Amino acid sequence: MTREPEPPADPTTDPAADPPADPRLRQWEPVARAIALLLGPYAEVVLHDPETDRVLGIWNPTGSRRAGDPSYLGELAALDPAGRDVHGPYEKVLADGRRLSSVSAVLRAPDGHPSAVLCVNLDRTPLERAAALLSSFGAPTEHRPEPLFEQDWTERIQHVVGGWVRDHGRPVERFGRADRLAVVRLLDEAGVFAVRRAVPVVAGALGSSRSTVYALLAECRAERTPA
């Protein structure tokens, strides 16, 4: 029985293979392999030949694509000539639903023409799973039991100020006068200023002086006073 001849070793996936003949592979293989080793097994690294529109080399392939397969790059001339040679990160979606974050870099020869295109495709699945796990860990599932906190006026201040920060996407340091006035109004409606020592605590939470809080409080109450 005669044995089928084995296919030649692929220098981009077989460390024991002979050194690649293409000078671009010799130049860029260490870079591609380093990225693949650092981000593997979740990152596919592909080196494309823009002249033949073929894959020069591939590391950590996410599918059946191999060196020599079509690249389907499209025309590099269609890219913005004023733009950078690094494009991305942009999103790609595989047929199995996995989402990738991809970056493409145009590698130029000394004369300036595109010699190769290096693409890194990072599978975001493990990151998305980790993010979902972290966001669900210890996440509140019920409303806060208000009777437990109705006597804790300092907690009420933190709750109102923090709620305004979350709802409006501005940290306290970036509050304008309108923000502080609105928060003081909410605190007054919550009965916080009925507590004798509330103003200094509110001033600290808002990053304002006591006199500013007193002035805002007076303005809020003047608004509610009928003319």
Side-chain angles (χ1 to χ4, degrees), residues 61-90:
T62 57
S64 59
R65 186 166 55 165
R66 294 178 60 85
D69 287 348
S71 294
Y72 305 114
L73 276 182
E75 293 294 333
L76 295 183
L79 296 173
D80 182 2
R84 299 170 299 174
D85 280 340
V86 178
H87 304 274
Y90 52 88

Short mmCIF file of all heavy atoms in Angstrom, two decimals, residues 61-90:
data_model
loop_
_atom_site.label_atom_id
_atom_site.label_comp_id
_atom_site.label_asym_id
_atom_site.label_seq_id
_atom_site.Cartn_x
_atom_site.Cartn_y
_atom_site.Cartn_z
N PRO A 61 -6.08 30.44 13.31
CA PRO A 61 -7.25 30.66 12.44
C PRO A 61 -8.55 30.35 13.17
O PRO A 61 -8.64 29.38 13.92
CB PRO A 61 -7.02 29.70 11.28
CG PRO A 61 -6.05 28.68 11.79
CD PRO A 61 -5.20 29.37 12.80
N THR A 62 -9.55 31.22 12.96
CA THR A 62 -10.87 31.00 13.59
C THR A 62 -11.74 30.08 12.76
O THR A 62 -12.80 29.66 13.22
CB THR A 62 -11.60 32.34 13.76
OG1 THR A 62 -11.74 32.97 12.47
CG2 THR A 62 -10.84 33.25 14.70
N GLY A 63 -11.31 29.76 11.53
CA GLY A 63 -12.08 28.87 10.67
C GLY A 63 -11.14 28.01 9.85
O GLY A 63 -10.04 27.67 10.29
N SER A 64 -11.57 27.68 8.64
CA SER A 64 -10.80 26.79 7.78
C SER A 64 -9.85 27.53 6.84
O SER A 64 -9.18 26.93 6.01
CB SER A 64 -11.75 25.92 6.95
OG SER A 64 -12.60 26.74 6.15
N ARG A 65 -9.78 28.84 6.94
CA ARG A 65 -8.94 29.62 6.04
C ARG A 65 -7.46 29.29 6.25
O ARG A 65 -7.00 29.15 7.38
CB ARG A 65 -9.21 31.12 6.28
CG ARG A 65 -8.50 32.03 5.32
CD ARG A 65 -9.07 33.43 5.36
NE ARG A 65 -9.07 34.02 6.69
CZ ARG A 65 -9.25 35.32 6.93
NH1 ARG A 65 -9.43 36.14 5.91
NH2 ARG A 65 -9.25 35.78 8.16
N ARG A 66 -6.72 29.18 5.14
CA ARG A 66 -5.30 28.86 5.20
C ARG A 66 -4.52 29.78 4.27
O ARG A 66 -5.11 30.52 3.46
CB ARG A 66 -5.04 27.40 4.79
CG ARG A 66 -5.61 26.37 5.75
CD ARG A 66 -5.35 24.97 5.23
NE ARG A 66 -3.92 24.69 5.07
CZ ARG A 66 -3.12 24.27 6.05
NH1 ARG A 66 -3.62 24.10 7.27
NH2 ARG A 66 -1.86 24.01 5.82
N ALA A 67 -3.20 29.72 4.38
CA ALA A 67 -2.34 30.49 3.48
C ALA A 67 -2.63 30.09 2.04
O ALA A 67 -2.78 28.91 1.71
CB ALA A 67 -0.87 30.24 3.82
N GLY A 68 -2.74 31.09 1.17
CA GLY A 68 -3.05 30.86 -0.23
C GLY A 68 -4.50 31.06 -0.58
O GLY A 68 -4.85 31.18 -1.76
N ASP A 69 -5.37 31.10 0.44
CA ASP A 69 -6.79 31.32 0.18
C ASP A 69 -7.05 32.78 -0.20
O ASP A 69 -6.25 33.66 0.13
CB ASP A 69 -7.63 30.96 1.41
CG ASP A 69 -7.71 29.46 1.64
OD1 ASP A 69 -7.32 28.71 0.73
OD2 ASP A 69 -8.16 29.04 2.73
N PRO A 70 -8.18 33.05 -0.88
CA PRO A 70 -8.50 34.45 -1.22
C PRO A 70 -8.66 35.31 0.02
O PRO A 70 -9.15 34.86 1.07
CB PRO A 70 -9.82 34.33 -1.99
CG PRO A 70 -9.87 32.92 -2.47
CD PRO A 70 -9.16 32.10 -1.44
N SER A 71 -8.24 36.56 -0.09
CA SER A 71 -8.36 37.51 1.03
C SER A 71 -9.65 38.31 0.97
O SER A 71 -10.19 38.68 2.02
CB SER A 71 -7.18 38.48 1.01
OG SER A 71 -5.97 37.83 1.27
N TYR A 72 -10.14 38.62 -0.23
CA TYR A 72 -11.32 39.47 -0.40
C TYR A 72 -11.14 40.81 0.29
O TYR A 72 -12.03 41.31 0.97
CB TYR A 72 -12.58 38.77 0.13
CG TYR A 72 -12.81 37.40 -0.46
CD1 TYR A 72 -12.74 36.27 0.33
CD2 TYR A 72 -13.10 37.25 -1.82
CE1 TYR A 72 -12.95 35.00 -0.22
CE2 TYR A 72 -13.30 35.99 -2.37
CZ TYR A 72 -13.23 34.87 -1.56
OH TYR A 72 -13.43 33.62 -2.12
N LEU A 73 -9.96 41.39 0.08
CA LEU A 73 -9.65 42.65 0.76
C LEU A 73 -10.39 43.84 0.19
O LEU A 73 -10.71 44.78 0.90
CB LEU A 73 -8.14 42.94 0.68
CG LEU A 73 -7.23 42.29 1.71
CD1 LEU A 73 -5.80 42.75 1.46
CD2 LEU A 73 -7.67 42.64 3.12
N GLY A 74 -10.65 43.83 -1.10
CA GLY A 74 -11.16 45.05 -1.71
C GLY A 74 -10.01 45.95 -2.13
O GLY A 74 -8.83 45.61 -1.99
N GLU A 75 -10.35 47.10 -2.63
CA GLU A 75 -9.35 48.02 -3.16
C GLU A 75 -8.80 48.93 -2.07
O GLU A 75 -9.55 49.68 -1.44
CB GLU A 75 -9.97 48.87 -4.28
CG GLU A 75 -10.36 48.07 -5.51
CD GLU A 75 -9.15 47.49 -6.22
OE1 GLU A 75 -8.06 48.08 -6.10
OE2 GLU A 75 -9.29 46.44 -6.87
N LEU A 76 -7.50 48.85 -1.83
CA LEU A 76 -6.88 49.74 -0.84
C LEU A 76 -6.95 51.18 -1.30
O LEU A 76 -6.96 52.11 -0.48
CB LEU A 76 -5.43 49.35 -0.61
CG LEU A 76 -5.18 47.97 0.01
CD1 LEU A 76 -3.69 47.76 0.23
CD2 LEU A 76 -5.94 47.82 1.33
N ALA A 77 -7.04 51.39 -2.61
CA ALA A 77 -7.10 52.76 -3.11
C ALA A 77 -8.38 53.46 -2.70
O ALA A 77 -8.46 54.69 -2.72
CB ALA A 77 -7.00 52.75 -4.64
N ALA A 78 -9.39 52.67 -2.31
CA ALA A 78 -10.66 53.27 -1.89
C ALA A 78 -10.59 53.84 -0.48
O ALA A 78 -11.48 54.59 -0.06
CB ALA A 78 -11.78 52.24 -1.97
N LEU A 79 -9.54 53.49 0.26
CA LEU A 79 -9.38 54.04 1.61
C LEU A 79 -9.02 55.52 1.53
O LEU A 79 -8.44 55.98 0.54
CB LEU A 79 -8.29 53.28 2.37
CG LEU A 79 -8.57 51.81 2.66
CD1 LEU A 79 -7.33 51.15 3.26
CD2 LEU A 79 -9.76 51.65 3.60
N ASP A 80 -9.36 56.23 2.57
CA ASP A 80 -9.06 57.66 2.61
C ASP A 80 -7.55 57.86 2.56
O ASP A 80 -6.83 57.43 3.47
CB ASP A 80 -9.63 58.26 3.91
CG ASP A 80 -9.39 59.76 4.02
OD1 ASP A 80 -8.82 60.34 3.07
OD2 ASP A 80 -9.79 60.34 5.04
N PRO A 81 -7.03 58.50 1.51
CA PRO A 81 -5.57 58.67 1.42
C PRO A 81 -5.00 59.55 2.51
O PRO A 81 -3.82 59.49 2.81
CB PRO A 81 -5.39 59.31 0.03
CG PRO A 81 -6.70 59.97 -0.27
CD PRO A 81 -7.75 59.10 0.37
N ALA A 82 -5.86 60.37 3.11
CA ALA A 82 -5.38 61.24 4.19
C ALA A 82 -5.44 60.53 5.54
O ALA A 82 -4.99 61.07 6.55
CB ALA A 82 -6.21 62.52 4.24
N GLY A 83 -6.04 59.34 5.56
CA GLY A 83 -6.19 58.63 6.83
C GLY A 83 -4.91 57.93 7.25
O GLY A 83 -3.90 57.89 6.53
N ARG A 84 -4.96 57.30 8.40
CA ARG A 84 -3.82 56.56 8.90
C ARG A 84 -3.81 55.17 8.25
O ARG A 84 -4.80 54.70 7.73
CB ARG A 84 -3.91 56.42 10.42
CG ARG A 84 -3.90 57.75 11.16
CD ARG A 84 -4.24 57.54 12.62
NE ARG A 84 -5.57 56.96 12.77
CZ ARG A 84 -6.06 56.57 13.92
NH1 ARG A 84 -5.36 56.66 15.02
NH2 ARG A 84 -7.28 56.07 13.98
N ASP A 85 -2.70 54.49 8.33
CA ASP A 85 -2.60 53.14 7.79
C ASP A 85 -3.11 52.09 8.75
O ASP A 85 -3.08 50.89 8.44
CB ASP A 85 -1.14 52.83 7.40
CG ASP A 85 -0.77 53.44 6.06
OD1 ASP A 85 -1.69 53.75 5.28
OD2 ASP A 85 0.43 53.60 5.80
N VAL A 86 -3.55 52.49 9.93
CA VAL A 86 -4.15 51.56 10.90
C VAL A 86 -5.64 51.87 10.99
O VAL A 86 -6.02 53.01 11.26
CB VAL A 86 -3.48 51.69 12.28
CG1 VAL A 86 -4.15 50.76 13.28
CG2 VAL A 86 -1.99 51.38 12.19
N HIS A 87 -6.46 50.87 10.75
CA HIS A 87 -7.91 51.05 10.71
C HIS A 87 -8.56 50.15 11.76
O HIS A 87 -8.32 48.95 11.80
CB HIS A 87 -8.45 50.72 9.32
CG HIS A 87 -7.80 51.50 8.23
ND1 HIS A 87 -8.22 52.75 7.85
CD2 HIS A 87 -6.71 51.23 7.45
CE1 HIS A 87 -7.46 53.21 6.88
NE2 HIS A 87 -6.52 52.30 6.62
N GLY A 88 -9.42 50.75 12.58
CA GLY A 88 -10.12 49.99 13.61
C GLY A 88 -9.87 50.56 14.98
O GLY A 88 -9.25 51.63 15.13
N PRO A 89 -10.35 49.84 15.99
CA PRO A 89 -11.06 48.56 15.92
C PRO A 89 -12.45 48.72 15.29
O PRO A 89 -13.14 49.69 15.56
CB PRO A 89 -11.17 48.12 17.38
CG PRO A 89 -10.23 48.98 18.15
CD PRO A 89 -10.13 50.26 17.38
N TYR A 90 -12.84 47.74 14.46
CA TYR A 90 -14.18 47.68 13.89
C TYR A 90 -14.74 46.29 14.16
O TYR A 90 -14.01 45.35 14.48
CB TYR A 90 -14.15 47.98 12.39
CG TYR A 90 -13.17 47.14 11.60
CD1 TYR A 90 -13.53 45.90 11.08
CD2 TYR A 90 -11.87 47.60 11.37
CE1 TYR A 90 -12.63 45.13 10.38
CE2 TYR A 90 -10.96 46.83 10.66
CZ TYR A 90 -11.35 45.60 10.17
OH TYR A 90 -10.46 44.83 9.46
#
